[in-house]
């Protein structure tokens, strides 16, 4: 039910919007769910006061994991993502419950434009920036009614995660509205799902990096770190290439500059 609706609804968005390139969805496989649960238990990851050691059945799992059903929305450019996120928060047939923005620590390309679009100053974000060993996080709430007065939620929590691995993208946790005729009252359609948004270039980078580093052949840790460092460098290079493509696609004329 959920996957079929996602395919239909977002494919229609892709057809109607010039900033969307493609959409695909997937249902997480059982072995991947079990692996994710094992990782959370082994690393003692307790989030939102939920004890992962007490997950005994599928219903418990659905409450604790938001991406059993997931979608991936590909844009042409990273610069398209901030406006697209604002558009999706106003979609009247579902609620965006939270947004996580992943960006590079040393050469950020996404979070700064997002802050500008949301009218949040860099000074405010700097004041709440917390350092971690390998990443930094910024958390804040956005009054979404400033953009969509009719939205049923008033605030949406945002988290910006700055990383050293080169990944760039936005992850939205979305929940359909259960009393909306748009869903045809299909049972099981109202669970949350995760929507990942990436640019075309960063989607290619992410797929290759994930295959080599996380799902590839086993390798010594020092070799893995060296290859991961290569991917981080390549992400920065590809971002520069994407900027060049954007400038070629949307050149600034003399009249625009004056």
């Amino acid at each position: 039910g959920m996957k079929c609706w996602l395919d239909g609804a977002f494919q229609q968005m892709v057809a109607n919007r010039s900033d969307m390139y493609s959409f695909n969805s997937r249902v997480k496989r059982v072995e991947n769910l079990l692996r994710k649960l094992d990782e959370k238990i082994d690393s003692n990851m307790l989030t939102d006061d939920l004890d992962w050691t007490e997950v005994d059945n599928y219903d418990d799992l659905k409450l604790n994991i938001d991406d059993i059903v997931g979608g991936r929305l590909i844009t042409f450019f990273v610069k398209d993502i901030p406006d697209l996120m604002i558009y999706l928060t106003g979609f009247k047939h579902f609620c965006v419950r939270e947004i996580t923005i992943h960006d590079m620590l040393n050469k950020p390309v996404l979070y700064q434009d997002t802050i500008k679009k949301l009218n949040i100053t860099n000074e405010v974000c700097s004041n709440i920036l917390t350092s971690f060993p390998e990443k930094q996080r910024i958390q804040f709430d956005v009054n979404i009614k400033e953009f969509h007065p009719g939205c049923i939620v008033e605030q949406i929590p945002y988290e910006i995660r700055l990383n050293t691995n080169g990944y760039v993208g936005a992850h939205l946790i979305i929940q359909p509205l259960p009393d909306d005729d748009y869903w045809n009252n299909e049972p099981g359609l109202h669970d949350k799902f995760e929507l990942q948004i990436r640019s075309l270039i960063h989607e290619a980078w992410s797929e290759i990096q994930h295959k080599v580093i996380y799902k590839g052949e086993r390798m010594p840790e020092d070799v893995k770190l060296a290859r991961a460092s290569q991917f981080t460098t390549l992400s920065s290079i590809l971002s520069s290439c994407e900027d060049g493509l954007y400038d070629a696609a949307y050149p600034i004329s003399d009249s625009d500059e004056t």
Side-chain angles (χ1 to χ4, degrees), residues 156-183:
I156 294 178
Y158 276 68
E159 181 173 3
I160 298 174
R161 298 183 183 181
L162 305 181
N163 62 65
T164 58
N165 64 17
Y167 177 68
V168 177
H171 295 192
L172 284 65
I173 302 302
I174 296 175
Q175 188 170 27
L177 303 183
D179 299 322
D180 194 328
D181 291 338
Y182 191 75
W183 302 97

Side-chain angles (χ1 to χ4, degrees), residues 33 61 123 153 161 226:
L33 280 173
L61 199 61
E123 289 76 16
V153 296
R161 298 183 183 181

Side-chain angles (χ1 to χ4, degrees), residues 8 60 137 243:
D60 292 338
R137 297 187 181 188
D243 288 341

Side-chain angles (χ1 to χ4, degrees), residues 173-222:
I173 302 302
I174 296 175
Q175 188 170 27
L177 303 183
D179 299 322
D180 194 328
D181 291 338
Y182 191 75
W183 302 97
N184 295 322
N185 296 317
E186 293 186 31
L189 198 59
H190 313 302
D191 297 324
K192 291 181 289 186
F193 63 90
E194 181 185 62
L195 179 68
Q196 298 181 3
I197 308 176
R198 299 198 272 267
S199 74
L200 189 56
I201 284 180
H202 280 281
E203 166 69 357
W205 175 92
S206 179
E207 285 292 301
I208 298 171
Q209 190 256 14
H210 190 74
K211 179 179 180 180
V212 171
I213 301 299
Y214 293 101
K215 292 191 175 181
E217 61 184 26
R218 301 182 70 87
M219 63 187 81
E221 190 63 25
D222 60 333

Side-chain angles (χ1 to χ4, degrees), residues 36-246:
K36 185 169 186 176
L37 179 59
D38 287 340
E39 290 172 353
K40 288 183 178 294
I41 293 175
D42 291 343
S43 61
N44 196 29
M45 288 179 61
L46 306 181
T47 59
D48 300 327
D49 298 324
L50 296 174
D51 188 346
W52 289 92
T53 60
E54 296 183 359
V55 175
D56 296 323
N57 53 53
Y58 180 69
D59 288 336
D60 292 338
L61 199 61
K62 284 202 304 181
L63 289 174
N64 293 350
I65 296 181
D66 296 320
D67 64 342
I68 292 179
V69 178
R72 188 169 298 168
L73 186 59
I74 307 304
T75 65
F76 284 94
F77 302 103
V78 168
K79 293 181 185 295
D80 296 325
I81 296 178
D83 283 328
L84 186 54
M85 286 190 289
I86 291 176
Y87 166 76
L88 291 172
T89 57
F91 193 70
K92 62 182 180 180
H93 301 295
F94 57 60
C95 276
V96 176
R97 293 299 184 184
E98 59 186 81
I99 295 176
T100 303
I101 297 165
H102 299 266
D103 205 353
M104 295 180 285
L105 174 62
N106 296 326
K107 187 183 176 181
V109 294
L110 175 57
Y111 90 88
Q112 292 160 322
D113 282 347
T114 301
I115 288 172
K116 291 176 183 177
K117 295 288 184 179
L118 294 172
N119 299 322
I120 297 172
T121 64
N122 281 301
E123 289 76 16
V124 171
C125 286
S126 296
N127 290 336
I128 57 176
L129 188 67
T130 304
S131 297
F132 289 84
E134 293 186 354
K135 56 188 174 182
Q136 297 181 323
R137 297 187 181 188
I138 307 167
Q139 295 178 320
F140 53 90
D141 293 330
V142 173
N143 184 355
I144 207 64
K145 285 186 177 290
E146 292 183 9
F147 303 94
H148 306 291
C151 188
I152 67 170
V153 296
E154 184 169 340
Q155 290 188 324
I156 294 178
Y158 276 68
E159 181 173 3
I160 298 174
R161 298 183 183 181
L162 305 181
N163 62 65
T164 58
N165 64 17
Y167 177 68
V168 177
H171 295 192
L172 284 65
I173 302 302
I174 296 175
Q175 188 170 27
L177 303 183
D179 299 322
D180 194 328
D181 291 338
Y182 191 75
W183 302 97
N184 295 322
N185 296 317
E186 293 186 31
L189 198 59
H190 313 302
D191 297 324
K192 291 181 289 186
F193 63 90
E194 181 185 62
L195 179 68
Q196 298 181 3
I197 308 176
R198 299 198 272 267
S199 74
L200 189 56
I201 284 180
H202 280 281
E203 166 69 357
W205 175 92
S206 179
E207 285 292 301
I208 298 171
Q209 190 256 14
H210 190 74
K211 179 179 180 180
V212 171
I213 301 299
Y214 293 101
K215 292 191 175 181
E217 61 184 26
R218 301 182 70 87
M219 63 187 81
E221 190 63 25
D222 60 333
V223 175
K224 183 177 181 179
L225 289 173
R227 297 184 76 176
S229 178
Q230 287 181 302
F231 276 99
T232 301
T233 301
L234 287 169
S235 181
S236 296
I237 294 172
L238 289 172
S239 292
S240 297
C241 293
E242 183 177 289
D243 288 341
L245 284 171
Y246 185 89

